[in-house]
């Protein structure tokens, strides 16, 4: 069973950087598509970035050129490097995983989710 645990959130000033990590503690190696999502109170959850087992990557327009998603499969760990952070990036960040037959993207209905890690960016 996939069990996802995020870490790395925190409080930073605008322009700062953070790196989020998400470990699959279940060690099932059953996922071929992983992603980061974020949500703020009163708003719908939105996709941030997704990465497939073949290396294809999908980013939200709002984070392109600032965020980088990567997947260390031997370590069962997904990363999100976030640079040039803005107050609008403040949210709870969640990682998600699933096995898909088609392409990997943020449009996938992911079945496994972590508990989230909070990112707060002050101006």
């Amino acid at each position: 069973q996939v069990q996802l645990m995020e870490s790395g959130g925190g409080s930073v000033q605008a322009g700062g950087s953070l790196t989020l990590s998400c470990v699959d503690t279940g060690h099932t190696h059953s996922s071929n598509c992983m992603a980061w999502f974020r949500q703020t109170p009163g708003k719908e959850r939105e996709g941030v970035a997704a990465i497939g087992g073949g290396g294809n990557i999908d980013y939200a327009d709002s984070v392109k050129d600032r965020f980088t998603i990567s997947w260390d499969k031997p370590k069962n760990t997904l990363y999100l490097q976030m640079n040039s952070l803005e107050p609008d990036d403040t949210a709870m960040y969640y990682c998600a995983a699933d096995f898909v037959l088609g392409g990997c993207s943020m449009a996938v209905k992911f079945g496994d989710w972590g508990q989230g890690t909070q990112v707060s960016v002050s101006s």
Side-chain angles (χ1 to χ4, degrees), residues 43-62:
K43 293 187 178 181
E44 290 189 359
R45 185 172 57 199
E46 64 171 345
V48 175
I51 184 168
N56 62 294
I57 292 175
D58 183 23
Y59 288 108
D61 288 342
S62 60

Side-chain angles (χ1 to χ4, degrees), residues 14-64:
S17 299
L18 285 173
T19 300
L20 306 184
S21 300
C22 172
V23 180
D24 173 5
T25 60
H27 300 289
T28 60
H29 303 277
S30 61
S31 303
N32 67 350
C33 180
M34 297 194 75
W36 288 99
F37 287 78
R38 65 187 182 186
Q39 188 170 23
T40 55
K43 293 187 178 181
E44 290 189 359
R45 185 172 57 199
E46 64 171 345
V48 175
I51 184 168
N56 62 294
I57 292 175
D58 183 23
Y59 288 108
D61 288 342
S62 60
V63 306
K64 279 181 181 176

Side-chain angles (χ1 to χ4, degrees), residues 67-85:
F67 291 9
T68 302
I69 189 172
S70 60
W71 187 0
D72 187 334
K73 294 172 190 174
K75 293 184 178 180
N76 295 315
T77 303
L78 180 72
Y79 299 98
L80 185 68
Q81 173 68 43
M82 305 186 293
N83 298 325
S84 301
L85 282 161

